[in-house]
Amino acid sequence: MKQANWLWPGNKRIAVVFNVCLEAWSDGKAPGISPMGNPLPPGVLDNMAISWAAYGAKRGIYRLLDAFARHGARASVMVSAILAERTPEAVKAVGDAGHEILSHSYAMDVIPALMKEDEERKNIQRCTALLEGASGKRVRGWLSPRATSSANTPRLLAEAGYTWHGDVLDDDLPYVQTFGGRKIVAIPLSTDVNDMPSMKYGNPPRMMLEAFEEQLKRIADRREGPVIIDVTSHAHIFGRPHGAHYYEKIIQTAASTGDIWIATRLEIAEFTLKSRDEG
């Protein structure tokens, strides 16, 4: 396949998207991973993991919001809608700071691939109402837990008026899907610059910064463009002091690099639709 022959706004080759995951699990559910390497016996609720994940909405998201504010950058924040019930002040803080709020389903254990169509439609409606109510902002994007949609998810989101979804990993650049005359932009999610390896494999936080810098060098050496670099953090992982320190260094680098457009996923979707219509 030939390289695309267009550029991002401002004739920039690189779009950097700062994804922040503000996640929570349903009552009585715990994350499947945690800082402890020794799992509890089956059927035992891991309260340590629940407490670890709760850090994101209690402390981590605010530290990350401060980092973005210092550099005038905006993020796309994936929010579990259950947090609009538990900690609406955290959801409102994200919206008030000017970041994009997108739905990350109701909770991390509420996965579209496990739902029947009517159940999934109700989940989309519920999440939309909760997040819009808490933030005062329209929700136009969706990314499922694990980025794992059902066969119906893109169509149901298009029917619900969503502009984009991120449950695809099959390309480098966004593309448009059409369902009964309704369009929705599919924006692939990349995992090359992500804080999860620090959690899962014990990588030092500075390795995320190094991965970002290596991406920029590769793109410069090969004169690639247009490209998207997803820079993904979790408020309960890199919202902690040391991880946030290196995440802010990435924000600072992106903000000071002339060939980078710091974009939200919604801005990329709107650019994609406009370019298609004009083309």
Side-chain angles (χ1 to χ4, degrees), residues 28 40-46:
L40 294 174
V44 177
L45 184 62
D46 192 343

Side-chain angles (χ1 to χ4, degrees), residues 18 20 59-75 97 99 233 238-241 243-253 255 262:
F18 288 102
V20 176
R59 189 70 63 190
I61 188 62
Y62 297 102
R63 182 173 287 112
L64 293 174
L65 292 179
D66 287 345
F68 285 115
R70 282 191 285 269
H71 303 283
R74 293 193 301 150
H99 301 285
S233 68
F238 265 33
R240 298 171 193 269
H245 170 75
Y246 282 99
Y247 198 68
E248 183 169 356
K249 283 185 175 293
I250 298 175
I251 298 170
Q252 183 177 17
T253 299
I262 297 178

Side-chain angles (χ1 to χ4, degrees), residues 2-216:
K2 294 182 179 179
Q3 181 172 311
N5 60 359
W6 50 267
L7 295 173
W8 298 113
N11 290 323
K12 297 185 178 182
R13 291 183 301 131
I14 306 167
V16 170
V17 179
F18 288 102
N19 305 292
V20 176
C21 304
L22 183 56
E23 298 175 340
W25 282 253
S26 299
D27 293 343
K29 300 288 186 179
I33 62 172
S34 75
M36 299 300 114
N38 51 328
L40 294 174
V44 177
L45 184 62
D46 192 343
N47 288 296
M48 186 283 304
I50 292 173
S51 178
W52 170 72
Y55 185 94
K58 183 178 182 179
R59 189 70 63 190
I61 188 62
Y62 297 102
R63 182 173 287 112
L64 293 174
L65 292 179
D66 287 345
F68 285 115
R70 282 191 285 269
H71 303 283
R74 293 193 301 150
S76 292
V77 184
M78 311 175 198
V79 185
S80 299
I82 194 172
L83 291 173
E85 300 172 327
R86 289 179 179 169
T87 57
E89 65 279 4
V91 180
K92 186 175 188 300
V94 174
D96 287 350
H99 301 285
E100 178 189 11
I101 291 178
L102 61 118
S103 181
H104 204 26
S105 192
Y106 180 70
M108 292 304 293
D109 52 286
V110 181
I111 301 173
L114 305 178
M115 297 180 184
K116 295 180 180 179
E117 182 172 339
D118 287 347
E119 183 183 9
E120 185 177 359
R121 183 179 288 108
K122 291 177 181 177
N123 182 56
I124 292 170
Q125 294 170 347
R126 181 188 193 188
C127 294
T128 307
L130 283 170
L131 293 173
E132 291 184 348
S135 69
K137 308 287 184 180
R138 186 180 172 193
V139 175
R140 298 173 61 187
W142 177 285
L143 205 153
S144 300
R146 302 183 75 257
T148 305
S149 64
S150 74
N152 301 312
T153 304
R155 172 177 55 82
L156 293 176
L157 290 170
E159 291 173 358
Y162 275 68
T163 302
W164 70 268
H165 76 94
D167 291 351
V168 291
L169 289 88
D170 58 352
D171 208 336
D172 298 319
L173 294 170
Y175 54 92
V176 178
Q177 296 175 308
T178 303
F179 300 93
R182 294 180 180 270
K183 297 177 182 177
I184 188 167
V185 180
I187 305 177
L189 177 68
S190 66
T191 58
D192 293 326
V193 186
N194 195 297
D195 64 355
M196 192 59 74
S198 179
M199 175 63 248
K200 294 178 71 174
Y201 309 121
N203 292 356
R206 69 173 181 275
M207 289 187 67
M208 187 173 176
L209 172 62
E210 292 169 1
F212 180 71
E213 292 172 340
E214 288 171 359
Q215 290 261 7
L216 295 185

